């Protein structure tokens, strides 16, 4: 495939600042494509301070708290231009923003999302956790059992312009799940949310999980990091 990708670790960064940076990368990619220059992708890993983001097709009523309570829990609320409904970002969550050229990768938007999900599914398998997809909903889910309902461990919401992607996924590793109590995550009222630490019964090594995920993304998408 010979698609080269720059990996960037932004650590804890304000949501808007990361969004602005993605827009810069997207614009640069589109300009290079238009002029016939060879482009390379970017994969960003980061965390955000407590923030709820609402997709362009989302319903604001899925945020269950008012502005004063947002302030009390030190969270912000942002209308964004990705797909999907409402979700939460916060410390202990791997937020991934791939800025990839789908034409170069020969992928449709649907197959791109499928491969993002596959990357997470493969990481979870390394922790002996069975996970999969849910018809009619993006993201990665753990199946219901006698003790627990279906629950999402990774949310996905993307935007694509001229076949170049932005936004991406939010993988709950050591995430404080209490913050999900204040929303209907992704618009669902009958399903749960979980994290890797919640499923495994203890805090996980964040850096180890990030490296496992980075390797799986490289393998699944057949890309080469610069």
């Amino acid at each position: 495939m010979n698609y080269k990708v720059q990996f960037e670790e932004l650590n804890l960064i304000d949501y808007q600042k990361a969004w602005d940076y993605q827009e810069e990368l997207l614009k640069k990619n589109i300009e290079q494509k238009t002029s016939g220059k060879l482009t390379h992708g970017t994969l960003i890993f980061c965390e955000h301070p407590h923030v709820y983001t609402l997709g362009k097709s989302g319903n604001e009523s899925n945020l269950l708290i008012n502005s004063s309570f947002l302030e009390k829990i030190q969270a912000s609320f942002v209308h964004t231009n990705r797909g999907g409904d409402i979700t939460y970002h916060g410390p202990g969550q791997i937020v991934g923003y791939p800025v990839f050229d789908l034409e170069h990768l020969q992928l449709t938007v649907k197959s791109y999302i499928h491969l993002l999900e596959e990357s997470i599914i493969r990481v979870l398998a390394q922790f002996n956790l069975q996970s999969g997809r849910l018809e009619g909903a993006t993201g990665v889910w753990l199946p219901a059992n006698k003790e627990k309902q279906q629950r999402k461990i990774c949310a996905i919401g993307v935007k694509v312009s001229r076949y170049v992607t932005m936004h991406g996924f939010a993988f709950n590793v050591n995430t404080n799940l209490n913050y999900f109590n204040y929303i209907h995550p992704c618009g669902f009222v009958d399903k749960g949310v979980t994290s890797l630490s919640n499923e495994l019964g203890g805090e996980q090594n964040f850096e180890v999980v990030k490296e496992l995920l980075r390797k799986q993304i490289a393998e699944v998408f057949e890309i080469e990091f610069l």
Side-chain angles (χ1 to χ4, degrees):
M1 191 69 68
N2 199 32
Y3 186 58
K4 299 189 185 299
V5 172
Q6 179 73 44
F7 176 73
E8 296 193 29
E9 172 64 78
L10 300 185
N11 299 307
L12 186 67
I13 183 173
D14 177 75
Y15 181 83
Q16 186 65 55
K17 193 175 289 187
W19 184 4
D20 291 344
Y21 182 49
Q22 289 178 77
E23 293 280 10
E24 287 177 25
L25 292 172
L26 180 81
K27 183 180 178 183
K28 182 180 177 182
N29 261 263
I30 291 173
E31 286 174 351
Q32 288 177 331
K33 282 185 66 174
T34 304
S35 62
K37 294 179 181 177
L38 186 67
T39 63
H40 71 260
T42 304
L43 174 63
I44 296 166
F45 276 7
C46 64
E47 297 171 77
H48 294 307
H50 305 297
V51 59
Y52 296 101
T53 66
L54 185 71
K56 59 186 179 180
S57 58
N59 189 334
E60 195 165 331
S61 66
N62 286 320
L63 177 68
L64 307 178
I65 54 178
N66 57 29
S67 56
S68 61
F69 197 85
L70 276 170
E71 189 174 337
K72 180 181 177 182
I73 62 173
Q74 299 180 311
S76 56
F77 177 61
V78 179
H79 286 265
T80 185
N81 62 351
R82 60 163 172 78
D85 206 287
I86 196 167
T87 196
Y88 161 77
H89 298 308
Q93 182 186 69
I94 301 174
V95 180
Y97 295 131
V99 182
F100 288 178
D101 183 347
L102 297 187
E103 274 191 310
H104 196 136
L105 289 167
Q106 298 180 319
L107 295 173
T108 63
V109 176
K110 186 176 180 180
S111 59
Y112 166 68
I113 291 173
H114 186 90
L115 291 181
L116 286 180
E117 293 166 339
E118 182 64 25
S119 302
I120 301 292
I121 289 168
R122 290 189 183 191
V123 169
L124 292 171
Q126 294 184 55
F127 292 91
N128 296 316
L129 288 175
Q130 179 191 355
S131 63
R133 300 170 182 85
L134 187 64
E135 189 173 347
T138 58
V140 178
W141 300 77
L142 273 65
N145 55 38
K146 291 181 179 179
E147 300 173 353
K148 298 177 180 178
Q149 62 184 157
Q150 277 181 321
R151 53 220 182 274
K152 180 178 276 192
I153 197 166
C154 180
I156 294 176
V158 305
K159 179 189 175 187
V160 181
S161 298
R162 305 280 185 89
Y163 300 101
V164 179
T165 66
M166 64 178 288
H167 296 296
F169 62 85
F171 177 28
N172 296 325
V173 180
N174 296 321
T175 316
N176 183 346
L177 299 178
N178 290 331
Y179 277 82
F180 286 99
N181 294 334
Y182 307 124
I183 59 173
H184 289 149
C186 304
F188 291 104
V189 297
D190 60 342
K191 295 175 178 62
V193 178
T194 192
S195 67
L196 194 58
S197 61
N198 186 57
E199 295 298 320
L200 298 178
E203 186 168 323
Q204 300 301 300
N205 187 316
F206 201 59
E207 297 305 315
V208 167
V209 180
K210 280 195 290 190
E211 184 57 25
L212 288 172
L213 180 54
R214 195 173 80 98
K215 287 180 178 177
Q216 286 303 326
I217 289 173
E219 185 176 309
V220 166
F221 281 92
E222 299 178 21
I223 60 174
E224 179 184 339
F225 288 117
L226 292 168

